[in-house]
Amino acid sequence: MSATGTGPGGAGSATPGTGTIGASTEARNLQWLLGNLVEEVPGLISVAVVSSDGLLLLSSDPEQRQIAVARQGPRGSSADLATIVSGIGSLTVGAARLMDGGGVKQTMVAMEEGSVFVMSISDGSLLGVHATPDCDMSVVAYHMALFVGRAGHVLTPEVRSQLRQSMEAAQ
């Protein structure tokens, strides 16, 4: 996936196949931010933004991206990553409640063949990243935090609804 425009909402900024063409400026800006995250952070395999009820709102499509890794995202599907992100988010929120730990800001799962990072965006929405085993975890976390900071105030109920509809139309 590439962000080939002149900036958020600029000509050509919506990636083909993402369903954001004709969408609101806010939705196009979020897609542009996601494209920037994917392009600027080495080692990312796939990225998903998931609503509080587990629905995929935005994603990178590992099959459309040209990335030099032997493995694709979970089964190559953004929907699979969304399911994983939603499950990890739910599990960690439950654990934080049991431990009186407050809100969960970030979760990382390190595996032999990669890592999964999950970060809270706003009112239950989550940003999830599947990365290669040799990624620089601090760089991934930093860029995720930038995305969350920029996207949090834009991800309103209206924009979430519009993104859901766009994802459904793209399938």
Side-chain angles (χ1 to χ4, degrees):
M1 172 162 109
S2 65
T4 57
T6 56
S13 65
T15 303
T18 61
T20 57
I21 296 171
S24 70
T25 301
E26 292 85 2
R28 288 192 311 270
N29 286 348
L30 286 171
Q31 185 64 47
W32 184 83
L33 285 171
L34 186 85
N36 260 2
L37 175 68
V38 170
E39 294 298 321
E40 291 187 16
V41 182
L44 296 190
I45 297 170
S46 58
V47 181
V49 175
V50 182
S51 67
S52 60
D53 52 358
L55 296 176
L56 182 62
L57 299 177
L58 285 172
S59 71
S60 66
D61 188 344
E63 296 158 349
Q64 291 179 0
R65 292 181 46 230
Q66 296 176 353
I67 184 167
V69 294
R71 298 171 59 107
Q72 296 291 316
R75 296 191 188 178
S77 168
S78 298
D80 289 341
L81 179 60
T83 301
I84 292 164
V85 167
S86 181
I88 290 172
S90 179
L91 178 66
T92 56
V93 165
R97 283 186 191 138
L98 285 173
M99 295 180 202
D100 293 325
V104 177
K105 295 180 181 181
Q106 180 178 355
T107 305
M108 191 205 74
V109 179
M111 303 167 284
E112 288 179 12
E113 298 298 323
S115 298
V116 175
F117 301 82
V118 179
M119 192 173 283
S120 299
I121 298 176
S122 63
D123 57 338
S125 297
L126 301 167
L127 171 64
V129 169
H130 179 208
T132 60
D134 61 343
C135 73
D136 186 333
M137 293 180 192
S138 62
V139 170
V140 173
Y142 173 75
H143 282 276
M144 287 178 71
L146 287 177
F147 180 92
V148 166
R150 293 173 180 157
H153 68 283
V154 177
L155 205 51
T156 64
E158 295 79 22
V159 172
R160 283 194 303 273
S161 175
Q162 186 178 68
L163 290 170
R164 279 186 203 149
Q165 292 170 358
S166 295
M167 289 302 290
E168 289 170 4
Q171 295 174 354

